[in-house]
Amino acid sequence: MTPPPTTPPSPSLLVPFYEHPADRPEDWAAVVAAAAALYGVVLNPASGAGQAPDPAFTEVAARLRDAGVRVLGYADTDYGRRPHAEVVADLVRHRDWYGADGAFLDQVPTEPGALPHYRRLAVAARAAGARTLVLNHGAHPAPGYEDLADLLVTFEGPWDSYRGLDLPVADHYCHLVYAAPADARPTTPVHCAVPGTGAHPWGTLPHTLEPAR
């Protein structure tokens, strides 16, 4: 008897890979090749979109889009301190220069007092073409943020801290874990676990995407 077809797993990896394509072409090729496993890729040319288009990022973003991968433009919000107009300008440049169809807002606070600011940012991000909006709190936020975004990063930190926690899990939560061993398995459906440590852990890929050297 022929076994019934299996349903392929949902794309699960949200990859924040903050390295220049000209410096790490093999790693970027591995990211593109893993398109079927990716929830999305965070594009971060210069702690944001930068001041001018970068041809190398333009090219890799096009390859990701052609492979059907969400391209999420990175914008730092500095926990609500960065002016609304600056954040939106970053998102518009990501859209115009790199064809980003989503947004990854970093350094988002958890407290409810900042909700009106982020509600305005969410509306502006959608108006700028973000079909997918990710908020990176790095910790579990007040419930009101769940209405603003498609995905909330409710943990960002090292594996040694993460493995001892019992965090809420939901389809719209994401855990980003660094200093992680090869067998590390975050508990959220969308996640990323990388081996990188120190001040720049997101210069490494998840173990499963590392190209052969």
Side-chain angles (χ1 to χ4, degrees):
M1 179 182 293
T2 303
T6 57
T7 302
S10 299
S12 61
L13 288 176
L14 175 65
V15 179
F17 186 46
Y18 301 159
E19 290 291 327
H20 198 280
D23 298 331
R24 304 278 287 277
E26 292 181 356
D27 291 323
W28 275 105
V31 173
V32 175
L38 302 180
Y39 176 89
V41 173
V42 183
L43 207 70
N44 187 12
S47 295
Q51 298 303 309
D54 185 317
F57 276 100
T58 301
E59 189 268 342
V60 81
R63 288 163 57 199
L64 289 167
R65 293 196 312 273
D66 288 346
V69 178
R70 292 180 179 95
V71 176
L72 308 174
Y74 175 96
D76 182 10
T77 71
D78 194 22
Y79 299 103
R81 292 185 290 264
R82 191 178 181 205
H84 174 95
E86 289 186 13
V87 176
V88 175
D90 241 355
L91 299 181
V92 170
R93 288 193 289 264
H94 276 297
R95 179 198 67 195
D96 293 347
W97 296 346
Y98 306 116
D101 55 5
F104 181 92
L105 301 186
D106 198 16
Q107 298 201 100
V108 179
T110 58
E111 68 271 10
L115 271 166
H117 176 71
Y118 284 90
R119 192 171 291 114
R120 289 179 61 232
L121 279 178
V123 170
R126 302 294 190 187
R131 294 197 294 270
T132 302
L133 178 59
V134 180
L135 302 181
N136 183 14
H137 303 274
H140 203 74
Y145 288 98
E146 302 197 14
D147 297 330
L148 306 183
D150 301 282
L151 194 68
L152 306 178
V153 178
T154 58
F155 178 88
E156 181 179 358
W159 175 254
D160 281 350
S161 298
Y162 180 74
R163 64 181 178 174
L165 299 175
D166 183 17
L167 298 172
V169 173
D171 288 347
H172 60 293
Y173 295 163
C174 173
H175 294 162
L176 300 179
V177 185
Y178 53 83
D183 61 351
R185 296 293 181 267
T187 55
T188 48
V190 180
H191 57 262
C192 190
V194 301
T197 59
H200 183 47
W202 305 113
T204 57
L205 290 177
H207 291 281
T208 55
L209 300 192
E210 284 286 351
R213 302 294 183 183

